[in-house]
Amino acid sequence: MTDNTDTIVALATPNGVGAIAVIRLSGPDAITIANSVFKGKDLSKQASHTIHSGSIADGDLILDEVLVSLFVGPRSYTRENVVEISCHASGYIIESIIKLFIKKGARSAKPGEFTLRAFLNGQLDLSQAEAVADLIASNSKASQQVALQQLRGGFSTQLQALREQLVNFASLIELELDFAEEDVEFANRDQLKKLIHEITKIVGRLIQSFELGNAIKNGVNTVIAGRPNAGKSTLLNALLNEERAIVSHIPGTTRDTIEEVLNIQGINFRLIDTAGIREATDAIEQIGVERTMEKISQSALLVYVFDAAEITVEELNSDIESLQKPGVTMLIVANKADLLNPEQLSALPHTDRVIIISAKEKRHIDELKHKIYSSAVKDQLSGDETLVTNIRHLEALQKTEEALVRVLGGIDGSITSDFLSMDIKQGLHYLGEITGVVTTDDLLENIFSKFCIGK
Ligand SMILES: Nc1nc2c(ncn2[C@@H]2O[C@H](COP(=O)(O)OP(=O)(O)OP(=O)(O)O)[C@@H](O)[C@H]2O)c(=O)[nH]1
Ligand SMILES: [Mg+2]
């Protein structure tokens, strides 16, 4: 995985017919290989960051008219020599040119191998390399912004600074080990405690940011559930502003789940309309109800809808109690407000998580959207906040936190310097895993194999 003495080649643009395709070469021989088949200027004599027009030829056979962009290492994405060929995007031309480069000594790049090289050559740290993949996968303004911030190093810079402070203490404590007989303390325990507290606070904040970071990156599963005929499908349609789900006065209309994405202020909510919950009258409906319950337990947000004109207080309370699941935020939506008189309206529960709407007449739908958004975002999205979006980072942060808690316990319990030093090193190890100061081949393989080829 980590052999980078050879020159790699891959198509960097999507497969398929198009105006232009870009084929990328990276490695020590990139320029030589490109030059050997390029009819035009002598590429080996051209300056970095220049573009040249000419053609690619296999012997006498011209394959295409192309533009060649030159990046002389280390001033390139991978820090190696990089050549990008912009050719016409025909599958035949692309394949012929790539085959020709392979004949001339390049080999096919593995998924993510360009970015892997950028990481190994110090162009990006690991969390930045991962941000490249996130950026490519981003599908909303918020997910693009978070990935871009991580790519620019916001995340790593913060961690790197923390890590350096810890390294200082680790070395002071190591020094104590050298003077073990003399019972000296170079590392001031109070200062160490203060630093660890400070780091734990930041690490804790990063861990907490994952809920939102994950919501931004992957969307929020939002289930709409309630009794049959409560108006769930009408509400789905109102939220989406289109007639997506079938609505009828017959209870049990929705039998299977229906999923649609709703973007609210940059965050994707995966809305799931479900079969109404009741004692099922047939086997298919029974399956629908079971699926509803399953979807609720897998969701982050439950929008419980009830028919305010029909339900009794007892039914309402029992529904709320039975649907409340740990880890699932519940919003309570009183629907069909248009059928209520002012007296009935004021009899409805008026708390923060209850929203009174009319799905059919599209009343208070924006208010509900706002509640949905703020229940996922809380007050965390300030713009410059560092958000953790990656489960690998989350796990490393959690392990860092555990190690730091042990360090603190160790200082208070006056354990010996060698044990303290071990726990600090553990903390350093896990922090290092995030930015890639500490890596294993398995870890790299795991991360970069998820990239597309050509990136
Ligand atoms: N007056 C009034 N009627 C509504 C409102 N919302 C929904 N309805 C009506 O209630 C009936 C049921 O609506 P649906 O949206 O199909 O209800 P549902 O909860 O999806 O029902 P099932 O899929 O059967 O579980 C339809 O006749 C809707 O027109 C509302 O806000 N006001
Ligand atoms: Mg329905």
Side-chain angles (χ1 to χ4, degrees), residues 227-235 246-254 273-276 335-339 357-361:
R227 294 178 179 241
N229 247 3
K232 300 177 296 297
S233 301
T234 311
L235 175 58
I246 299 172
V247 165
S248 90
H249 66 280
I250 305 163
T253 302
T254 308
D273 179 24
T274 58
N335 190 29
K336 309 199 187 179
D338 54 293
L339 298 179
I357 66 160
S358 166
K360 193 173 176 180
E361 302 198 345

Side-chain angles (χ1 to χ4, degrees), residues 198-378:
E198 208 177 304
I199 298 178
T200 321
K201 215 168 94 188
I202 297 174
V203 167
R205 208 177 62 214
L206 287 172
I207 290 174
Q208 280 198 342
S209 77
F210 179 74
E211 195 186 340
L212 176 60
N214 187 50
I216 288 177
K217 186 167 148 188
N218 299 319
V220 184
N221 282 339
T222 306
V223 171
I224 303 174
R227 294 178 179 241
N229 247 3
K232 300 177 296 297
S233 301
T234 311
L235 175 58
L236 176 81
N237 292 344
L239 285 168
L240 295 171
N241 214 3
E242 66 176 286
E243 300 308 308
R244 171 68 180 82
I246 299 172
V247 165
S248 90
H249 66 280
I250 305 163
T253 302
T254 308
R255 298 203 149 204
D256 207 346
T257 51
I258 299 174
E259 304 199 13
E260 278 301 324
V261 175
L262 172 69
N263 188 298
I264 308 177
Q265 290 179 51
I267 296 190
N268 284 333
F269 291 86
R270 251 188 313 283
L271 298 180
I272 307 165
D273 179 24
T274 58
I277 302 164
R278 67 168 169 186
E279 290 291 318
T281 51
D282 63 57
I284 297 171
E285 194 179 7
Q286 178 60 33
I287 296 170
V289 173
E290 278 163 20
R291 192 163 289 177
T292 301
M293 299 312 285
E294 191 186 311
K295 288 287 178 187
I296 293 175
S297 59
Q298 293 165 352
S299 67
L301 184 61
L302 166 63
V303 177
Y304 164 71
V305 185
F306 68 93
D307 181 340
E310 290 282 335
I311 207 164
T312 66
V313 176
E314 292 73 33
E315 287 170 334
L316 180 59
N317 287 338
S318 111
D319 278 8
I320 293 173
E321 198 181 325
S322 65
L323 293 177
Q324 187 75 73
K325 299 272 178 292
V328 184
T329 308
M330 189 196 278
L331 289 177
I332 299 165
V333 175
N335 190 29
K336 309 199 187 179
D338 54 293
L339 298 179
L340 303 186
N341 62 37
E343 216 169 291
Q344 289 170 304
L345 271 175
S346 63
L348 288 171
H350 285 268
T351 73
D352 213 31
R353 60 173 183 165
V354 178
I355 306 109
I356 301 167
I357 66 160
S358 166
K360 193 173 176 180
E361 302 198 345
K362 298 204 168 101
R363 272 197 245 158
H364 297 299
I365 299 298
D366 281 342
E367 187 190 332
L368 175 59
K369 277 189 188 172
H370 186 75
K371 275 269 185 338
I372 291 176
Y373 175 81
S374 54
S375 73
V377 172
K378 306 198 172 72

